[in-house]
Amino acid sequence: MKIKGIIAFASAAFMLTSAAAFAEEEKALVDVSGKLFFDYSYNVNNETKTYTAGVPTKTKTTGQNSFNLSRAYVTFDKKIDDAWSARVTLDGGTLDQKDSGGDTTKSSSAFVKNAYAQYKTAFEPVELKAQAGLVGTPVIDLLDGLIGSRWIYQNYVDKSSDITGKSVDVSSADTGVKAEVKIMKMVSITGMYANGDGYKLNTTDQTPTTKSYYGTLNINPIEALNIFGYYHRHDTAAADKAKNFMSYYGGGLAWKDKSFKVGANYTLASGKTADVKEESSVLELWGNINLNEIAGAPVLVIGRYAMGTYEKKAAAKEKNEGSAIWGGLGYQVNKNVQLAAMYKIDSLTKKTSGAKTSDASNNTFYVKSEVVF
């Protein structure tokens, strides 16, 4: 991370930890926890072709390697009484930013991921949970929880741009209000209304007009089986929202227990930019298996596959197609530490009016790790 980011992150963590220690002395505990996502990556072969009048220009890189702290979370939880609580999560990681020339650069930053108050109560057989502030968005939370390998990579609704060249969601956290109703521990319904500007932005206007709406439904006919669906819409411009928006809906099936996290998810997205129609789709399959219960050793078998398409129906029609596949083995050292050696292959092809404009493929080897404290 940059020095300023490290200082800001460490200072905030120190102040909140000090407050937690003081609160503990007063017998009003603040729980402190955290997660670190650390990896080593080796670029086996990255190749990009750009086409001018059908003639390709190739760029190829191999052999590059690096160590990356992709995420560092520190979370402070405070239980106020039986119904009320509060949470603040500090987030340090790599952030994509555009420079003055429009090029994307990666830099390290520290920021607040979550900061909200929560109310939770139960009226048997109904449970209610409501949050207000900077909260996690429902679709990303749902999918990350079912897939169970966020430390390897985000889900491909969150990272749809990798395989379609187009983002369909705003962010994994946003400022707003969220409520979840759970009925008989079998049906969960969640809704959220938020600013629609995400959590990494420095917002000077406190009344953003690009609002965002979420809804999810998850049914558990038996404890491990999840049948789920969702809907999301956000405005992408302040003016003429009917001509500038993105929405998506989808769903799938997942099995989640101590040994197996397997499932499939399909998403359809549509929207407009300056009244030009856009459509995209994402299919994701995952398997995250812990062999401890089966073989007596906590060996992890992890695989993920995603494919996607994007079309912009302008006069010069754009069409993108891409895919990503992850495969590897890992080991759960204990309940707080796990490691995995992973190989990733992804590709993205872009066309305009039926002619290729670019063709990219990446092959990368990773050693991924998660440390929970």
Side-chain angles (χ1 to χ4, degrees), residues 297-315:
V299 175
L300 308 175
V301 180
I302 303 171
R304 291 168 71 177
Y305 172 75
M307 62 179 293
T309 63
Y310 165 76
E311 290 188 38
K312 186 174 183 178
K313 299 183 176 180

Side-chain angles (χ1 to χ4, degrees), residues 120-159:
K120 187 175 181 180
T121 190
F123 308 95
E124 292 297 339
V126 177
E127 298 176 16
L128 170 65
K129 182 169 66 176
Q131 299 172 347
L134 182 53
V135 300
T137 53
V139 178
I140 305 302
D141 281 355
L142 173 67
L143 293 176
D144 280 346
L146 294 174
I147 295 170
S149 57
R150 170 63 185 85
W151 59 287
I152 300 296
Y153 202 60
Q154 293 100 314
N155 66 77
Y156 278 92
V157 171
D158 195 6
K159 299 294 287 185

Side-chain angles (χ1 to χ4, degrees), residues 170 174-175 193-198 201 208 210-214 234-235:
V170 175
D174 203 355
T175 305
Y193 175 64
N195 279 343
D197 58 355
L201 301 180
T210 53
K211 300 303 182 187
S212 186
Y213 316 82
Y214 293 87
H234 65 268
D235 304 319

Side-chain angles (χ1 to χ4, degrees), residues 31-211:
D31 293 324
V32 182
S33 61
K35 290 183 181 180
L36 301 177
F37 297 162
F38 181 76
D39 67 60
Y40 165 79
S41 63
Y42 178 80
N43 168 16
V44 179
N45 182 26
N46 286 7
E47 185 174 294
T48 302
K49 295 178 183 178
T50 56
Y51 296 84
T52 304
V55 179
T57 300
K58 183 166 69 174
T59 302
K60 185 176 181 179
T61 59
T62 60
Q64 296 176 339
N65 66 93
S66 64
F67 293 98
N68 309 287
L69 179 62
S70 59
R71 271 293 176 273
Y73 298 110
V74 179
T75 298
F76 305 86
D77 286 302
K78 166 65 177 174
K79 184 176 180 181
I80 299 170
D81 57 28
D82 290 341
W84 288 94
S85 61
R87 167 173 289 191
V88 174
T89 299
L90 303 180
D91 181 351
T94 302
L95 177 65
D96 290 341
Q97 293 179 318
K98 290 190 179 295
D99 61 22
S100 58
D103 295 323
T104 299
T105 60
K106 291 184 179 294
S107 61
S108 296
S109 299
F111 30 79
V112 176
K113 173 68 179 285
N114 296 129
Y116 60 81
Q118 176 176 289
Y119 176 77
K120 187 175 181 180
T121 190
F123 308 95
E124 292 297 339
V126 177
E127 298 176 16
L128 170 65
K129 182 169 66 176
Q131 299 172 347
L134 182 53
V135 300
T137 53
V139 178
I140 305 302
D141 281 355
L142 173 67
L143 293 176
D144 280 346
L146 294 174
I147 295 170
S149 57
R150 170 63 185 85
W151 59 287
I152 300 296
Y153 202 60
Q154 293 100 314
N155 66 77
Y156 278 92
V157 171
D158 195 6
K159 299 294 287 185
S160 60
S161 59
D162 286 7
I163 54 174
T164 67
K166 180 71 173 182
S167 296
V168 300
D169 207 319
V170 175
S171 181
S172 59
D174 203 355
T175 305
V177 292
K178 181 171 72 173
E180 177 187 19
V181 176
K182 186 173 290 188
I183 305 170
M184 298 178 63
K185 300 185 184 299
M186 294 177 60
V187 178
S188 295
I189 303 169
T190 305
M192 181 173 174
Y193 175 64
N195 279 343
D197 58 355
Y199 72 97
K200 293 180 181 178
L201 301 180
N202 295 317
T203 304
T204 55
D205 179 4
Q206 296 303 307
T207 56
T209 56
T210 53
K211 300 303 182 187

Side-chain angles (χ1 to χ4, degrees), residues 258-306:
K258 289 172 60 177
S259 299
F260 294 92
K261 295 179 181 66
V262 296
N265 176 59
Y266 185 68
T267 306
L268 283 171
S270 62
K272 290 182 179 181
T273 300
D275 211 25
V276 176
K277 191 172 183 180
E278 301 171 285
E279 293 180 347
S280 58
S281 65
V282 173
L283 170 67
E284 182 169 13
L285 311 174
W286 66 87
N288 182 8
I289 302 169
N290 189 325
L291 298 178
N292 193 43
E293 298 288 326
I294 302 167
V299 175
L300 308 175
V301 180
I302 303 171
R304 291 168 71 177
Y305 172 75

